[in-house]
Amino acid sequence: MEQALVVSTMQLLSQILVNGVLLGGLYALMALGLALVWGVLNIVNLAHGALIMLGAYVGYYLFTLLNIDPFLALPLSMAVLFCVGYLLQRGILNLIARAAMFNTLLITFGIDVVLTQLAQIFFSADFRTINPSYAGSNFMVFGVTLPLVRVLAFVVALALTIALWLFLLHTRLGRAIRATAQNLGAARLYGVEPKAIYALTFGLGAALAGGAGDLYGVVSQINPYIGATLTAKSFAIAIIGGLESPLGVVVGGIFLGVVESLTALYIGPTFVDIASFGILVLVLIFRPNGLLGATT
Amino acid sequence: MTLRFKFILGVAAALMLATLPWFASPTLIQFGISTLLLATLAQGWNIIGGFTGYASFGNSEFFGLGSYGTAIAMVQWQLPFGVGLIFGVLLSVIFALVVGIPVLRLRGHYFAIATLALSQVMTAIVSNLEVAGRNTGLVLPLLNGDTLFYELSLAVLLLATLTVLWISNSRFGFGLIAIRENEDAAASMGVNTTLYKVLAFALAGVFSALAGGIHAYWITFIDPVSAFDLSLNVKMIIMTVFGGPGSVLGPVIGAFVLSGISETLSTEISSLANLFFGVVIVAAVVFMPRGLADLMRRFRKTGWRYFSENVKQHRL
């Protein structure tokens, strides 16, 4: 009897851990775009969550109107959001690139409000979810249930993260982006055109948000107001993981995913946000360079 | 303008606003109350955001704590409104100290996001408290007296504006401005930066909590989502930025102008008003980052070039 109880507790715990890790992969992808833009442009994009929300709606409408599978729609969603991001940076954010940081916070906050309200007007405030036929399928590994869509989302999120990493390390454009992040003046001397690089980087960040949003719409519910929470979570992950490498962001995402799953089970579902933002504030106060970052 | 003329003009404006309930329609008085409360919130944000340069995206926490403090005191402990208001302010100040001391050590982005995160958490915390009525909220005793609420709101706004006027001419205020311009330099000049920032945060908390308490008693019903209404952050920030952050009357003028426009818009479509706020923030940051106050001062000399010069100065 007691042994059975121990076994089921262990099973429950491992199920929760697996759920947390799967969620964490998606969280990492959400945070990746924010971290990229922050690291290169020194903009903390408060509209990042709203871009994720837009990506989710692109996926949703491609699925409901054109019947395109959400995983096939991923590149489309990313392409649409890349354009949105590119135009935002080129048309608006470049105009205040040399203003005080306070102003970039205010303007991205304003963009967040505009995107959210437009979404509410055009898409309505109803909860939506992208619901392909295989949405309910599971498979079992070692007695742990693995929901198919969550595993797929996790794999795609990781693949995109690795792709970004390779892109930044090994392509000409990637090197230009990293050079801009390190030293704008020197990069300029080597022929990097900052206007274009800034817009491309912001577009890339938005594309990652779009991809994350599309996947988020498959595993969770969306409405126009999910943005603010997702911005704060992305920021929490970027802070926990540090800004140095995409791998740190993955660790941060999985950490947050596991903490949220454990909190939901052992303390209560209403405490999930308290736990994740509590961790954010604590990390900010005690290790502002990230849990994995260098200590100063 | 001489100082005396400004003083007379200010008193005249305040008196005019004070007599409004005797000839205005009930709807106008209600619009007046909400505008005055928003102006108070904007003025509170002005102290921490405008003068000190710390972009707080969580001042709605103070408003919510003021609302809940007042409601808990009146409903659960049957205390009079005045005591409730003081209790709400007390909660808010305690919160400002407990949270402010660690969080205000953070700068720039980090502070902004920490306040954003905290504002998301407050709703969840309050919904788990028995004394605050959990998810269902609290119902306050009914008091029919819009004139009273109007005068009370006006008095609180006056108090906030006079405090900001004092700040703008005091050693304390110069310390805050020094922190905004260059915190390290301010510290090396002998400004006790931590103390100043926490005081500014707490002062913002006092006025926001007063507005929250009055609002709760006026509206007679509060629940976690409406008391910690996140859109209040949008409104108070944009009103301050539009009017002129770091000026004395900017936030008040910003609140009056923008409330008027958004009220007109929301009679058409309600979500249009919020969209308008977002567009105004973006446009104001690009074209007039120093607000209406600076625009009016300089527009006569520069004309329409004022806007293009602002853009030229900051673009890549």
Side-chain angles (χ1 to χ4, degrees), chain B:
Chain B
M1 266 192 281
T2 61
L3 203 62
R4 171 175 292 187
F5 183 63
K6 271 186 179 172
F7 176 74
I8 293 170
L9 206 68
V11 172
L15 280 177
M16 237 172 65
L17 280 174
T19 53
L20 188 92
W22 278 274
F23 52 82
S25 67
T27 8
L28 188 64
I29 298 175
Q30 282 173 4
F31 167 71
I33 297 171
S34 62
T35 307
L36 290 170
L37 292 178
L38 279 172
T40 308
L41 285 175
Q43 199 61 284
W45 194 86
N46 191 25
I47 301 174
I48 185 73
F51 278 90
T52 323
Y54 271 70
S56 164
F57 291 93
N59 274 15
S60 59
E61 290 147 32
F62 297 133
F63 182 86
L65 285 171
S67 303
Y68 265 101
T70 308
I72 289 171
M74 289 179 74
V75 177
Q76 308 284 31
W77 307 328
Q78 273 85 39
L79 293 168
F81 174 59
V83 182
L85 212 52
I86 294 169
F87 180 64
V89 170
L90 210 64
L91 273 185
S92 192
V93 169
I94 292 170
F95 181 82
L97 296 180
V98 170
V99 169
I101 290 171
V103 168
L104 282 162
R105 284 173 51 206
L106 308 166
R107 292 188 189 176
H109 302 140
Y110 297 89
F111 174 77
I113 294 279
T115 54
L116 190 72
L118 282 170
S119 71
Q120 309 266 323
V121 171
M122 287 309 289
T123 320
I125 293 177
V126 172
S127 344
N128 285 304
L129 288 179
E130 189 63 57
V131 71
R134 292 182 183 274
N135 284 321
T136 40
L138 294 168
V139 180
L140 285 86
L142 189 65
L143 176 70
N144 278 321
D146 277 359
T147 309
L148 178 70
F149 285 116
Y150 179 90
E151 299 299 345
L152 209 55
S153 312
L154 184 64
V156 171
L157 175 61
L158 273 180
L159 186 66
T161 308
L162 288 175
T163 309
V164 170
L165 180 67
W166 167 76
I167 287 175
S168 71
N169 288 308
S170 68
R171 196 186 161 78
F172 176 58
F174 293 140
L176 297 183
I177 293 169
I179 289 170
R180 178 184 72 199
E181 297 303 329
N182 187 335
E183 189 162 345
D184 293 322
S188 68
M189 293 295 288
V191 175
N192 185 343
T193 50
T194 312
L195 178 71
Y196 275 46
K197 287 187 291 184
V198 171
L199 276 180
F201 201 46
L203 262 179
V206 168
F207 295 120
S208 312
L210 284 172
I214 294 171
H215 186 261
Y217 195 22
W218 177 46
I219 224 83
T220 70
F221 168 72
I222 58 168
D223 64 2
V225 177
S226 68
F228 293 93
D229 183 1
L230 295 174
S231 73
L232 284 178
N233 291 317
V234 185
K235 291 179 185 162
M236 65 178 112
I237 291 171
I238 179 51
M239 285 163 178
T240 314
V241 172
F242 182 75
S247 66
V248 178
L249 283 179
V252 180
I253 295 169
F256 284 8
V257 172
L258 292 179
S259 290
I261 300 175
S262 93
E263 185 68 18
T264 329
L265 285 176
S266 64
T267 49
E268 304 293 324
I269 312 171
S270 62
S271 50
L272 216 58
N274 283 325
L275 179 64
F276 164 77
F277 278 124
V279 173
V280 170
I281 304 185
V282 174
V285 171
V286 172
F287 295 110
M288 38 181 278
R290 280 174 298 273
L292 214 55
D294 185 67
L295 172 71
M296 302 216 285
R297 211 175 308 126
R298 301 236 313 259
F299 191 76
R300 249 171 299 158
K301 238 188 283 170
T302 55
W304 294 103
R305 269 187 304 132
Y306 177 83
F307 300 110
S308 61
E309 264 166 22
N310 271 326
V311 174
K312 250 181 232 158
Q313 203 184 340
H314 298 299
R315 77 165 175 220
L316 193 66

